Amino acid sequence: MAKLYINEKKDMGYINPEIYGHFSEHLGRCIYEGLFVGENSEIPNKNGMRTDVVEALKALSIPVLRWPGGCFADEYHWMDGIGPKEDRKKMVNTHWGGVTEDNSFGTHEFFELCEQLGCKTYINGNVGSGTVKEMSEWVEYMTFDGVSPMAELRRKNGRKEPWKVDYFGIGNENWGCGGNMTPEYYANLYRRYQTYVRHYQKAAPIRKICGGPNSGDVNWTRKVLETCFAEPGGKNAGGFMDGLSLHYYVVAGNWEHKGSAAEFGREDWYRTLHKALYMEELIQRHGAILDQYDPDRRIGLIVDEWGDWFDVEIGTNPGFLYQQNTMRDALVAAVSLNIFNRHCDRVKMACIAQMVNVLQSVILTEGEKMLKTPTYHVFHMYKKHQGARLVESSLSGEGTAGVEDYRVPALQESVSLQADGSILVTLANLSAEDACPVELLLTERKPETVKASILTNEMQAHNTFEEPDKVREEAFHDVALTDRGVNFTIPACSVVSLEIR
Ligand code: AHR
């Protein structure tokens, strides 16, 4: 029997809602088909956005959406995506399948989507192939309310009021697809470009995100911070940034042969989860470097690309990164979100890659059909962690699971206290074979009610357009209230959420 101890009195920090953020790139069928079908489509839509997809996403309370890339961001010239659609310039999407990008989804459409979703906005600017002037004018176009050439242009294009840009990323993966730069070179560009990302709305300053490392590249983090925090005029205390990004993908095999998303065995299962748990070490290692410059943890670690990356589904365009989504993805999402919660003192945002039809998506579409993936259900089960207070928790007696080189803790959890006083526990059973009896113990509180739900199935189980509800969140009734907590058995390969009052 495992014991889950919860010290509901011990506050461990605020879980920024943006930890449950999403990423949408002009890649494959994420934007086009997945989110945006155009006003003239036969697929029901509102101002071009698919109604079915938007409705499903709204049920997740999406906190923030990052756009337009990814690698695409450093090739994107925003002026090509404004004005009458028939006049918009077409371009080649060189990164993603070499397809023609007609720019029918641009700045106005992005804000329309965010308005429909009710989420914050995270725009990623172009450093790799764009100019300072271009970036600065984009910010003026989006956010300036007075008399200026860009504000006039926005009005001419039909939008009177400025929009609110919550976050602005200065380039993407500038160590790779964003220009193959050295950390020192990028950091100096960062210092320069961010200067012209002006705060036109004094009451709502834009939070600036500096391009961070690829996975374990601590050298990048060190050099970028060293350069950004250097004080030529003695006037720079904050490194010019509100956040530093971190990208980490879980690749079950290697980058040449990533492995199939839906056909895999036990060893692949454990190797994938083992790699997913590495996220914790990454946060600690990069976090320790950040602590040297920012001991008060004002700067957020922004994990704005994370998730599973498998081989594309057979018969689909290799540049479109379309993959299925199984219980394995659900477990990866569950343990990653638990890790982000548990490090909410440093991790201020995380965006799963990507929202629809690309990599570890919460939604897949095919023509007019759509389905919710197992990952979708995990986000739904965890959504009340958004904006809650993390509380202290620990496990004992849960043991480990796995195969020789890839052993993992059998259970993994996070716990938060909601504004209404209820406690949300999210617990994952990483074992593919063994159920685990759990005694959940609160420190002082005598629980009165518990409402639980569960996502469970066999390892490879996934939803298809023929059987869209094979894997879904269900009420979990086999829970017993005790004087001090709750007793239950968590089945193998499952995710459970318990709301205790
Ligand atoms: O999410 C797919 C790609 O992965 C993004 O465009 C890039 O930033 C990363 O390498």
Side-chain angles (χ1 to χ4, degrees), residues 23 25 27 70-71 96 172-173 247 249 305 309 354 359:
F23 170 39
E25 180 167 12
L27 193 178
C71 297
W96 306 119
N172 168 76
E173 297 195 352
H247 289 183
Y249 285 99
E305 288 187 30
W309 192 323
Q354 299 192 5
L359 300 175

Side-chain angles (χ1 to χ4, degrees), residues 96-383:
W96 306 119
V99 293
T100 303
E101 161 66 57
D102 70 0
N103 278 306
S104 54
F105 187 99
T107 304
H108 292 247
E109 290 74 22
F110 173 67
F111 282 100
E112 168 68 25
L113 174 61
C114 291
E115 239 160 74
Q116 289 190 25
L117 293 173
C119 71
K120 289 188 177 170
T121 56
Y122 177 5
I123 300 265
N124 212 116
N126 178 349
V127 171
S129 70
T131 62
V132 177
K133 179 170 185 276
E134 184 180 3
M135 186 180 284
S136 140
E137 287 185 338
W138 197 7
V139 173
E140 181 186 319
Y141 185 88
M142 293 185 286
T143 61
F144 188 57
D145 199 14
V147 179
S148 84
M150 291 302 115
E152 290 309 323
L153 185 58
R154 185 190 67 237
R155 289 183 196 111
K156 191 173 143 240
N157 287 331
R159 173 78 188 194
K160 189 165 165 277
E161 306 297 331
W163 295 285
K164 184 161 180 284
V165 173
D166 295 288
Y167 298 91
F168 196 92
I170 316 288
N172 168 76
E173 297 195 352
N174 301 94
W175 38 261
C177 66
N180 290 307
M181 302 174 191
T182 64
E184 294 89 346
Y185 182 73
Y186 167 72
N188 279 310
L189 285 185
Y190 175 80
R191 293 178 68 120
R192 178 172 166 228
Y193 275 65
Q194 68 77 34
T195 308
Y196 303 94
V197 173
R198 302 289 187 198
H199 297 305
Y200 290 112
Q201 299 166 13
K202 296 292 173 232
I206 298 171
R207 275 162 284 184
K208 300 174 186 177
I209 312 297
C210 177
N214 178 24
S215 142
D217 185 358
V218 288
N219 181 51
W220 179 275
T221 302
R222 266 196 214 105
K223 297 264 169 58
V224 164
L225 291 177
E226 195 178 295
T227 312
C228 286
F229 275 81
E231 294 185 51
K235 56 183 162 40
N236 169 32
F240 303 105
M241 67 182 76
D242 300 292
L244 180 76
S245 72
L246 164 66
H247 289 183
Y248 174 58
Y249 285 99
V250 174
V251 179
N254 54 52
W255 282 100
E256 302 282 277
H257 303 284
K258 302 177 201 70
S260 159
E263 283 172 30
F264 56 87
R266 272 184 71 233
E267 179 167 335
D268 302 308
W269 167 272
Y270 286 114
R271 195 181 330 104
T272 307
L273 291 177
H274 195 264
K275 289 186 173 186
L277 291 166
Y278 177 54
M279 180 65 88
E280 180 139 46
E281 184 178 328
L282 289 175
I283 293 168
Q284 285 162 339
R285 291 176 68 191
H286 294 293
I289 303 169
L290 268 163
D291 281 350
Q292 292 168 19
Y293 293 90
D294 175 42
D296 298 334
R297 303 195 172 170
R298 184 193 61 80
I299 296 174
L301 194 56
I302 307 292
V303 192
D304 53 14
E305 288 187 30
W306 69 271
D308 283 326
W309 192 323
F310 299 116
D311 291 334
V312 298
E313 290 305 304
I314 292 167
T316 65
N317 187 328
F320 281 15
L321 310 187
Y322 177 77
Q323 64 190 41
Q324 247 302 349
N325 196 291
T326 67
M327 277 305 296
R328 178 170 57 164
D329 298 87
L331 267 292
V332 167
V335 302
S336 304
L337 293 170
N338 281 341
I339 291 170
F340 299 145
N341 286 345
R342 293 164 68 102
H343 291 276
C344 63
D345 55 345
R346 182 57 90 184
V347 178
K348 305 292 180 198
M349 190 200 297
C351 304
I352 191 166
Q354 299 192 5
M355 195 174 226
V356 187
N357 290 334
V358 171
L359 300 175
Q360 190 177 347
S361 304
V362 291
I363 285 178
L364 302 177
T365 69
E366 189 181 84
E368 76 289 354
K369 295 188 223 152
M370 70 143 250
L371 62 80
K372 298 170 181 168
T373 66
T375 299
Y376 175 97
H377 294 289
V378 172
F379 271 78
H380 191 257
M381 291 164 78
Y382 278 55
K383 77 172 179 179

